[in-house]
Amino acid sequence: MTVLPVDLAKHAHRPDLGLPVEILSIASANPPYKISQRDALANAAMIYPQFASLHGLFANTGIDYRYTCQPTDWYQRPHTWEERTEVFQEHALKLLEQVALDATARAGLSLGDIDAFVTNTITGLAIPSLDALLMDRLPFSPNVERLPIFGLGCGGGVAGLARAARFAQGRPGRNVLFITVDLCSLCARPNDPSMAMFVAAALFGDGAAGVVLRTSANSTSEGGDGEKPVVLTFGEHTWRNTRHIMGWDVKGDGFGVVLSPELPTLMRNNLGQVVKEFVGRRGMSVRDFKGFLFHPGGRKVLETAEDVLGIDRALLAHSWDVLRDFGNMSSATALFILERAMASGDKGRHLLAAFGPGFSAYFVVLDL
């Protein structure tokens, strides 16, 4: 029988919550080019002059700055799949390498101590997968278990964290690394005159994040001091017949953005009930949470969450701050928010959530 350390035992009386998983560390990274929302609007207005009068769209996003992996003039020209893929792999690997090194170092580990790692993205392709390419760049053990994930979109940061936590639950005492990267800016296609492309230009940026997890094997395991955040439970919900809400269309020169105007209505009509059912099945209520770490697909997502859950904006402060400073970095965004909550010394139960193609919602309950 596994004996849980004292700091985790307080959570073990609820078998439906699963085995608690400690967050040993977290790290984030952005590419070098920082762009203001004002400059992003000027660039988009030049590429899509038919929408130039809709400048209020950029002003009302809640975003001040974003980061991109290429200089502005790169986005003003069409690019082939081959060109986009080459740039994606170059920058994705750089950022993944950085967050993998930073996260393991902050956990007091070396890459050779990592027993399994999960890698997530939605904005580019690599075969062999990004995790396999990292094996040639970083000194992971040749026996490390690897799981690449593709297709979860903005929800991939939370869903990937949950998959990595499942790895950790299945192998107590082993160190599991989750890393995710999305370079949303590389999906900009100046030859696509759609409104969805213009909206995407107002929201998306680039970033990466990494987390190290471990489920303690016994009471003497390292990290059982009660001060580390804990993943308590996780889950998800998929709405049928909603594939048109969000995703990619594969075009001749890259991914074509799918972003339906029906999304805000779907969220408003369904989010509250789904969140309440998720926490209710685990013996909790919305009022049990000290904070909500929601992926800000845009300001409407956060405003909708406030309304349908009946929560004060202060409980979503970290989500608003990350939206302002980084925009929507797809999967990485939720982990940037978690990193801020941890750095701020927040304590108590928090709900991490994100949404992606499917259309799906992903949840992780944390005790910070």
Side-chain angles (χ1 to χ4, degrees), residues 328-364:
N328 182 344
M329 299 170 286
S330 193
S331 65
T333 316
L335 298 185
F336 274 65
I337 296 166
L338 174 57
E339 183 181 36
R340 287 210 173 190
M342 291 169 57
S344 297
D346 290 2
K347 298 296 181 182
R349 193 166 293 176
H350 285 65
L351 181 63
L352 182 70
F355 315 93
F359 182 73
S360 302
Y362 304 92
F363 306 107
V364 171

Short mmCIF file of all heavy atoms in Angstrom, two decimals, residues 328-364:
data_model
loop_
_atom_site.label_atom_id
_atom_site.label_comp_id
_atom_site.label_asym_id
_atom_site.label_seq_id
_atom_site.Cartn_x
_atom_site.Cartn_y
_atom_site.Cartn_z
N ASN A 328 -3.24 36.16 -26.35
CA ASN A 328 -3.62 34.75 -26.34
C ASN A 328 -2.50 33.95 -27.00
O ASN A 328 -2.31 34.01 -28.21
CB ASN A 328 -4.94 34.57 -27.09
CG ASN A 328 -5.43 33.14 -27.08
OD1 ASN A 328 -4.70 32.21 -26.78
ND2 ASN A 328 -6.70 32.95 -27.44
N MET A 329 -1.75 33.19 -26.21
CA MET A 329 -0.66 32.34 -26.71
C MET A 329 -1.12 30.91 -26.87
O MET A 329 -0.31 29.98 -26.77
CB MET A 329 0.53 32.42 -25.75
CG MET A 329 1.11 33.81 -25.58
SD MET A 329 2.31 33.89 -24.24
CE MET A 329 1.19 33.81 -22.80
N SER A 330 -2.40 30.71 -27.07
CA SER A 330 -2.99 29.37 -27.18
C SER A 330 -2.64 28.55 -25.95
O SER A 330 -2.83 29.00 -24.83
CB SER A 330 -2.55 28.71 -28.48
OG SER A 330 -3.33 27.55 -28.74
N SER A 331 -2.08 27.36 -26.11
CA SER A 331 -1.94 26.42 -24.99
C SER A 331 -1.09 26.95 -23.84
O SER A 331 -1.34 26.62 -22.68
CB SER A 331 -1.34 25.11 -25.49
OG SER A 331 -0.01 25.32 -25.96
N ALA A 332 -0.06 27.74 -24.14
CA ALA A 332 0.86 28.19 -23.10
C ALA A 332 0.21 29.18 -22.13
O ALA A 332 0.67 29.32 -20.99
CB ALA A 332 2.09 28.83 -23.73
N THR A 333 -0.84 29.85 -22.55
CA THR A 333 -1.40 30.96 -21.78
C THR A 333 -1.82 30.55 -20.37
O THR A 333 -1.54 31.24 -19.40
CB THR A 333 -2.61 31.55 -22.51
OG1 THR A 333 -2.31 31.68 -23.91
CG2 THR A 333 -2.96 32.92 -21.95
N ALA A 334 -2.49 29.42 -20.25
CA ALA A 334 -2.99 28.99 -18.94
C ALA A 334 -1.84 28.76 -17.96
O ALA A 334 -1.97 29.04 -16.76
CB ALA A 334 -3.83 27.72 -19.08
N LEU A 335 -0.70 28.28 -18.46
CA LEU A 335 0.43 28.04 -17.57
C LEU A 335 1.13 29.33 -17.19
O LEU A 335 1.71 29.43 -16.10
CB LEU A 335 1.40 27.06 -18.22
CG LEU A 335 0.82 25.67 -18.50
CD1 LEU A 335 1.89 24.73 -19.02
CD2 LEU A 335 0.16 25.08 -17.26
N PHE A 336 1.10 30.34 -18.05
CA PHE A 336 1.58 31.67 -17.66
C PHE A 336 0.74 32.19 -16.49
O PHE A 336 1.26 32.81 -15.56
CB PHE A 336 1.46 32.65 -18.84
CG PHE A 336 2.64 32.65 -19.77
CD1 PHE A 336 2.96 31.54 -20.53
CD2 PHE A 336 3.43 33.79 -19.91
CE1 PHE A 336 4.04 31.55 -21.41
CE2 PHE A 336 4.51 33.81 -20.78
CZ PHE A 336 4.82 32.69 -21.53
N ILE A 337 -0.55 31.94 -16.55
CA ILE A 337 -1.45 32.39 -15.49
C ILE A 337 -1.16 31.64 -14.20
O ILE A 337 -1.09 32.23 -13.11
CB ILE A 337 -2.92 32.20 -15.93
CG1 ILE A 337 -3.22 33.09 -17.15
CG2 ILE A 337 -3.88 32.51 -14.79
CD1 ILE A 337 -4.51 32.72 -17.87
N LEU A 338 -0.97 30.34 -14.30
CA LEU A 338 -0.62 29.54 -13.13
C LEU A 338 0.70 30.01 -12.53
O LEU A 338 0.84 30.12 -11.30
CB LEU A 338 -0.54 28.07 -13.51
CG LEU A 338 -0.04 27.10 -12.43
CD1 LEU A 338 -0.89 27.18 -11.17
CD2 LEU A 338 0.03 25.68 -12.97
N GLU A 339 1.66 30.31 -13.38
CA GLU A 339 2.96 30.78 -12.90
C GLU A 339 2.81 32.08 -12.11
O GLU A 339 3.44 32.26 -11.06
CB GLU A 339 3.90 30.99 -14.08
CG GLU A 339 5.31 31.42 -13.67
CD GLU A 339 6.21 31.64 -14.87
OE1 GLU A 339 5.72 32.14 -15.91
OE2 GLU A 339 7.42 31.35 -14.77
N ARG A 340 1.96 32.98 -12.57
CA ARG A 340 1.74 34.24 -11.85
C ARG A 340 1.08 33.99 -10.50
O ARG A 340 1.43 34.64 -9.51
CB ARG A 340 0.89 35.19 -12.70
CG ARG A 340 1.63 35.78 -13.87
CD ARG A 340 1.12 37.15 -14.25
NE ARG A 340 1.98 37.73 -15.28
CZ ARG A 340 1.93 38.98 -15.67
NH1 ARG A 340 1.04 39.82 -15.13
NH2 ARG A 340 2.75 39.43 -16.61
N ALA A 341 0.13 33.10 -10.49
CA ALA A 341 -0.54 32.79 -9.22
C ALA A 341 0.44 32.22 -8.21
O ALA A 341 0.44 32.60 -7.03
CB ALA A 341 -1.69 31.82 -9.46
N MET A 342 1.31 31.33 -8.66
CA MET A 342 2.31 30.75 -7.77
C MET A 342 3.32 31.79 -7.30
O MET A 342 3.68 31.85 -6.12
CB MET A 342 3.01 29.58 -8.47
CG MET A 342 2.11 28.37 -8.70
SD MET A 342 2.82 27.10 -9.81
CE MET A 342 4.36 26.71 -8.96
N ALA A 343 3.77 32.65 -8.23
CA ALA A 343 4.75 33.67 -7.87
C ALA A 343 4.17 34.71 -6.92
O ALA A 343 4.90 35.31 -6.12
CB ALA A 343 5.27 34.36 -9.14
N SER A 344 2.85 34.91 -7.00
CA SER A 344 2.19 35.90 -6.13
C SER A 344 1.95 35.36 -4.72
O SER A 344 1.48 36.10 -3.85
CB SER A 344 0.85 36.31 -6.75
OG SER A 344 1.05 36.94 -8.00
N GLY A 345 2.23 34.09 -4.52
CA GLY A 345 2.01 33.49 -3.20
C GLY A 345 0.57 33.16 -2.92
O GLY A 345 0.19 32.99 -1.75
N ASP A 346 -0.26 33.05 -3.97
CA ASP A 346 -1.66 32.69 -3.76
C ASP A 346 -1.77 31.31 -3.12
O ASP A 346 -0.99 30.40 -3.44
CB ASP A 346 -2.41 32.69 -5.09
CG ASP A 346 -2.60 34.09 -5.65
OD1 ASP A 346 -2.11 35.04 -5.04
OD2 ASP A 346 -3.23 34.21 -6.72
N LYS A 347 -2.72 31.15 -2.24
CA LYS A 347 -2.93 29.87 -1.57
C LYS A 347 -4.39 29.45 -1.68
O LYS A 347 -5.27 30.26 -2.00
CB LYS A 347 -2.55 29.99 -0.08
CG LYS A 347 -1.08 30.32 0.15
CD LYS A 347 -0.16 29.20 -0.34
CE LYS A 347 1.30 29.52 -0.07
NZ LYS A 347 2.21 28.46 -0.60
N GLY A 348 -4.63 28.20 -1.38
CA GLY A 348 -5.99 27.70 -1.40
C GLY A 348 -6.36 27.07 -2.72
O GLY A 348 -5.55 26.94 -3.64
N ARG A 349 -7.62 26.68 -2.82
CA ARG A 349 -8.11 25.96 -3.99
C ARG A 349 -8.35 26.91 -5.16
O ARG A 349 -8.98 27.95 -5.02
CB ARG A 349 -9.39 25.23 -3.62
CG ARG A 349 -9.84 24.20 -4.63
CD ARG A 349 -10.91 23.30 -4.05
NE ARG A 349 -10.37 22.48 -2.98
CZ ARG A 349 -11.10 21.65 -2.24
NH1 ARG A 349 -12.40 21.56 -2.44
NH2 ARG A 349 -10.54 20.92 -1.30
N HIS A 350 -7.82 26.54 -6.32
CA HIS A 350 -7.98 27.33 -7.55
C HIS A 350 -8.42 26.41 -8.68
O HIS A 350 -8.06 25.22 -8.71
CB HIS A 350 -6.66 28.00 -7.94
CG HIS A 350 -6.31 29.18 -7.08
ND1 HIS A 350 -6.03 29.06 -5.73
CD2 HIS A 350 -6.20 30.50 -7.38
CE1 HIS A 350 -5.75 30.27 -5.24
NE2 HIS A 350 -5.84 31.15 -6.21
N LEU A 351 -9.17 26.98 -9.62
CA LEU A 351 -9.62 26.22 -10.78
C LEU A 351 -8.92 26.75 -12.02
O LEU A 351 -9.08 27.90 -12.40
CB LEU A 351 -11.13 26.34 -10.95
CG LEU A 351 -11.72 25.56 -12.14
CD1 LEU A 351 -11.49 24.05 -11.97
CD2 LEU A 351 -13.21 25.85 -12.30
N LEU A 352 -8.11 25.88 -12.63
CA LEU A 352 -7.43 26.17 -13.89
C LEU A 352 -8.31 25.64 -15.01
O LEU A 352 -8.76 24.48 -14.96
CB LEU A 352 -6.06 25.49 -13.89
CG LEU A 352 -5.14 25.70 -15.08
CD1 LEU A 352 -4.62 27.14 -15.12
CD2 LEU A 352 -3.96 24.73 -15.02
N ALA A 353 -8.56 26.47 -16.04
CA ALA A 353 -9.47 26.05 -17.10
C ALA A 353 -9.05 26.65 -18.43
O ALA A 353 -8.49 27.75 -18.49
CB ALA A 353 -10.90 26.46 -16.78
N ALA A 354 -9.31 25.91 -19.50
CA ALA A 354 -9.06 26.40 -20.85
C ALA A 354 -10.01 25.70 -21.81
O ALA A 354 -10.62 24.68 -21.48
CB ALA A 354 -7.60 26.15 -21.25
N PHE A 355 -10.09 26.24 -23.02
CA PHE A 355 -11.09 25.79 -23.99
C PHE A 355 -10.43 25.66 -25.36
O PHE A 355 -9.55 26.44 -25.71
CB PHE A 355 -12.24 26.80 -24.05
CG PHE A 355 -12.68 27.24 -22.68
CD1 PHE A 355 -12.14 28.37 -22.09
CD2 PHE A 355 -13.58 26.47 -21.95
CE1 PHE A 355 -12.51 28.77 -20.81
CE2 PHE A 355 -13.95 26.86 -20.67
CZ PHE A 355 -13.42 28.00 -20.10
N GLY A 356 -10.86 24.65 -26.12
CA GLY A 356 -10.23 24.43 -27.41
C GLY A 356 -11.14 23.73 -28.39
O GLY A 356 -12.31 23.44 -28.10
N PRO A 357 -10.59 23.45 -29.59
CA PRO A 357 -11.39 22.82 -30.65
C PRO A 357 -12.03 21.54 -30.18
O PRO A 357 -11.48 20.80 -29.38
CB PRO A 357 -10.34 22.56 -31.75
CG PRO A 357 -9.23 23.52 -31.48
CD PRO A 357 -9.20 23.68 -29.99
N GLY A 358 -13.21 21.33 -30.70
CA GLY A 358 -13.92 20.10 -30.34
C GLY A 358 -15.44 20.26 -30.30
O GLY A 358 -16.10 19.39 -30.80
N PHE A 359 -16.01 21.31 -29.70
CA PHE A 359 -15.43 22.32 -28.83
C PHE A 359 -15.40 21.77 -27.41
O PHE A 359 -16.36 21.13 -26.99
CB PHE A 359 -16.27 23.60 -28.91
CG PHE A 359 -15.76 24.73 -28.10
CD1 PHE A 359 -14.63 25.42 -28.49
CD2 PHE A 359 -16.38 25.10 -26.93
CE1 PHE A 359 -14.15 26.49 -27.72
CE2 PHE A 359 -15.91 26.17 -26.17
CZ PHE A 359 -14.79 26.86 -26.58
N SER A 360 -14.30 21.98 -26.70
CA SER A 360 -14.08 21.31 -25.42
C SER A 360 -13.60 22.26 -24.35
O SER A 360 -12.97 23.28 -24.64
CB SER A 360 -13.05 20.19 -25.59
OG SER A 360 -13.47 19.25 -26.56
N ALA A 361 -13.90 21.89 -23.11
CA ALA A 361 -13.40 22.60 -21.93
C ALA A 361 -12.57 21.63 -21.10
O ALA A 361 -12.91 20.45 -20.99
CB ALA A 361 -14.56 23.13 -21.09
N TYR A 362 -11.46 22.14 -20.55
CA TYR A 362 -10.55 21.32 -19.74
C TYR A 362 -10.35 21.99 -18.39
O TYR A 362 -10.18 23.21 -18.32
CB TYR A 362 -9.21 21.16 -20.46
CG TYR A 362 -9.34 20.59 -21.85
CD1 TYR A 362 -9.47 21.42 -22.96
CD2 TYR A 362 -9.38 19.22 -22.07
CE1 TYR A 362 -9.62 20.91 -24.24
CE2 TYR A 362 -9.52 18.69 -23.35
CZ TYR A 362 -9.63 19.55 -24.43
OH TYR A 362 -9.79 19.03 -25.69
N PHE A 363 -10.35 21.17 -17.33
CA PHE A 363 -10.29 21.70 -15.97
C PHE A 363 -9.23 20.97 -15.15
O PHE A 363 -9.07 19.76 -15.27
CB PHE A 363 -11.64 21.55 -15.26
CG PHE A 363 -12.80 22.15 -16.00
CD1 PHE A 363 -13.73 21.33 -16.62
CD2 PHE A 363 -12.96 23.52 -16.08
CE1 PHE A 363 -14.81 21.88 -17.30
CE2 PHE A 363 -14.03 24.08 -16.76
CZ PHE A 363 -14.96 23.25 -17.36
N VAL A 364 -8.53 21.72 -14.30
CA VAL A 364 -7.63 21.15 -13.31
C VAL A 364 -7.89 21.88 -11.99
O VAL A 364 -7.86 23.11 -11.95
CB VAL A 364 -6.15 21.30 -13.68
CG1 VAL A 364 -5.24 20.89 -12.53
CG2 VAL A 364 -5.83 20.46 -14.92
#
